[in-house]
Amino acid sequence: GKRAFIAGVADDNGYGWAIAKSLAAAGAEILVGTWVPALNIFETSLRRGKFDESRVLPDGSLMEITKIYPLDAIYDKLEDVPEDVKSNKRYSGSSKWTVQECAESVKQDFGSIDILVHSLANGPEVSKPLLETSRNGYLAALSASSYSYVSLLKHFIPLMNPGGSSLSLTYIASERIIPGYGGGMSSAKAALESDTRVLAFEAGRKHRIRVNAISAGPLRSRAAKAIGF
Ligand code: ZID
């Protein structure tokens, strides 16, 4: 069977969860990466059976998540984490959640993966038009929503089996004007799509890994509700 790592699962409403279910139904082993501040509530809800109805697979069995890894994809390595984040109580409760450390942990635990899914995005100023977006807000959107995919691939490719596949989720606001998708999120998706082509070329040549992005339709996830979609 294949083993999949899905980054960006913190409840049962988003694309990450739905993709995990499809992969589980197809026989894959499921590992997820959960944003550190959301980790506690996700693990607790899962343990208490809050997601049991949404865990049901087409054959009637429940999706098993073999392991949940804490992850903050805006940090590549421990040295990059500012002191105030390190000491923040939502972060200090877990460890090894930078991209590099997370990949190392997965490698230690399982050796390799076949499928990498990037189902995460964050734009702190998404509700502001681009004209009113600050430099920090713009760069934060790109860091969490675009570079995070470059970083995930960079660190996970060494543990991906040749012939493996990776996927991210984009949005058509990269190509067309969608008012309300601000804060540099349209820019972030344009970068993500361009990077997907370049990364497909590089990872395909070097490592026989496929790199794709799916332009998603509307889904009432936590992220979509937050922007009023
Ligand atoms: P989600 O809230 O389930 O997933 C986002 C996840 O990212 C959450 O679990 C966060 O905890 C996590 N996260 C945020 N920051 C970080 C970080 N620094 N490190 C690690 N994890 C982090 O929402 P989702 O399922 O909507 O989002 C998954 C992907 O789908 C994102 O890339 C979205 O941009 C993308 N997507 C979603 C939709 C949608 O409708 N939900 C659309 C297009 C793309 C879309 O917005 N018409 C209107 C809107 C849309 C499509 C059509």
Side-chain angles (χ1 to χ4, degrees):
K2 309 265 191 210
R3 184 178 297 118
F5 181 86
I6 300 138
V9 180
D11 58 40
D12 61 347
N13 293 318
Y15 276 114
W17 178 273
I19 291 167
K21 272 180 77 175
S22 295
L23 291 170
E29 177 173 28
I30 304 299
L31 315 176
V32 305
T34 301
W35 195 31
V36 189
L39 182 70
N40 245 330
I41 180 142
F42 180 56
E43 286 184 323
T44 306
S45 306
L46 199 60
R47 201 176 334 108
R48 293 193 181 152
K50 208 188 139 206
F51 302 135
D52 282 0
E53 250 175 70
S54 353
R55 283 174 61 209
V56 180
L57 298 175
D59 72 356
S61 68
L62 296 189
M63 169 171 72
E64 289 297 335
I65 299 176
T66 306
K67 191 158 176 179
I68 299 169
Y69 291 87
L71 174 68
D72 195 321
I74 68 170
Y75 302 113
D76 301 313
K77 50 189 193 309
L78 192 57
E79 303 91 277
D80 298 340
V81 184
E83 279 311 320
D84 61 319
V85 175
K86 270 184 200 157
S87 57
N88 181 308
K89 75 174 189 335
R90 289 155 99 199
Y91 281 83
S92 57
S94 27
S95 61
K96 298 191 178 164
W97 38 256
T98 65
V99 176
Q100 184 183 56
E101 296 169 292
C102 179
E104 277 166 10
S105 301
V106 173
K107 186 175 180 150
Q108 245 172 39
D109 294 341
F110 297 96
S112 68
I113 62 166
D114 303 285
I115 298 162
L116 175 69
V117 180
H118 174 283
S119 180
L120 62 97
N122 199 8
E125 297 181 14
V126 66
S127 53
K128 287 189 191 164
L130 189 54
L131 260 181
E132 283 155 36
T133 298
S134 72
R135 185 179 301 266
N136 276 343
Y138 182 97
L139 292 176
L142 270 285
S143 176
S145 315
S146 318
Y147 187 76
S148 56
Y149 192 36
V150 178
S151 180
L152 272 176
L153 269 170
K154 174 175 175 175
H155 293 96
F156 276 81
I157 277 178
L159 46 144
M160 287 182 78
N161 294 318
S165 176
S166 86
L167 176 71
S168 69
L169 291 145
T170 184
Y171 181 34
I172 199 169
S174 62
E175 302 178 38
R176 295 187 205 162
I177 302 149
I178 314 273
Y181 204 71
M185 279 307 298
S186 57
S187 333
K189 291 306 192 188
L192 181 69
E193 290 173 26
S194 178
D195 295 346
T196 298
R197 291 185 283 270
V198 176
L199 294 165
F201 172 78
E202 293 180 3
R205 291 254 167 139
K206 264 203 182 149
H207 309 279
R208 290 220 303 120
I209 305 292
R210 286 170 289 145
V211 182
N212 286 288
I214 292 179
S215 193
L219 177 70
R220 286 226 92 203
S221 65
R222 189 189 160 92
K225 280 181 203 155
I227 48 179
F229 277 15

